[in-house]
Amino acid sequence: MTGTEAASGEPEFYFADVEAFVSGYLSPVIRRRIDGSSATWCPQWWQHPEASARLTALWLAWEHLRKEPGPGMSTWWLYHVDPHLRVLMDVDAGPFAACSPEDGHTAQPFAPLPLDTMPVPEAGPALPSLGRPSPLPPPPPFRTAT
């Protein structure tokens, strides 16, 4: 733990936010054929909620695993980057499927997952009422306040 981490109680990040991570590390390091038939990417990745969530997860995992001795970064590549990039860059089913590096961003071409309202279970003799699940905490901010 560094002095900054100990004083603030917060982890010390190398990158200030996910945008700094994507532009300062991921984009320069990842070199793929992005032709729209085998892989695709959206230059405005932050406009896609799923992509933002996945790239934020990659950033936070990188921040954690970069401090691990030994195979930490190999773990990051094998168990984080590779699976997420397969989904992100999938030309048929990924979040960028309607976008291209040449033609740019296509605003939300796909609808969110359909949902029905979940009924609150009634308490019964064998099954106590569990109620609604607790809401998830909000994701970390995409940008750091200046």
Side-chain angles (χ1 to χ4, degrees):
M1 188 178 287
T2 67
T4 305
E5 289 174 322
S8 69
E10 295 292 321
E12 184 176 280
F13 291 145
Y14 184 86
F15 292 100
D17 54 30
V18 67
E19 191 279 329
F21 170 73
V22 171
S23 64
Y25 181 76
L26 200 65
S27 176
V29 169
I30 301 295
R31 304 291 174 116
R32 305 284 169 96
R33 179 179 308 168
I34 300 177
D35 57 9
S37 62
S38 61
T40 193
W41 180 261
C42 182
Q44 294 181 25
W45 57 267
W46 62 90
Q47 299 279 14
H48 300 268
E50 179 184 351
S52 292
R54 287 179 176 276
L55 291 168
T56 298
L58 281 177
W59 165 52
L60 294 173
W62 185 90
E63 292 287 359
H64 175 75
L65 290 169
R66 73 181 174 88
K67 299 176 185 178
E68 294 292 317
M73 291 313 295
S74 181
T75 298
W76 182 75
W77 282 100
L78 290 172
Y79 297 104
H80 299 275
V81 179
D82 291 344
H84 282 297
L85 284 184
R86 275 193 293 275
V87 171
L88 288 170
M89 299 176 120
D90 186 296
V91 297
D92 295 318
F96 305 142
C99 302
S100 76
E102 297 82 26
D103 298 329
H105 173 68
T106 300
Q108 302 300 323
F110 308 113
L113 297 174
L115 297 175
D116 290 334
T117 302
M118 184 178 104
V120 176
E122 294 185 28
L127 181 64
S129 176
L130 300 176
R132 293 201 172 275
S134 300
L136 294 174
F142 293 124
R143 295 197 179 267
T144 307
T146 55

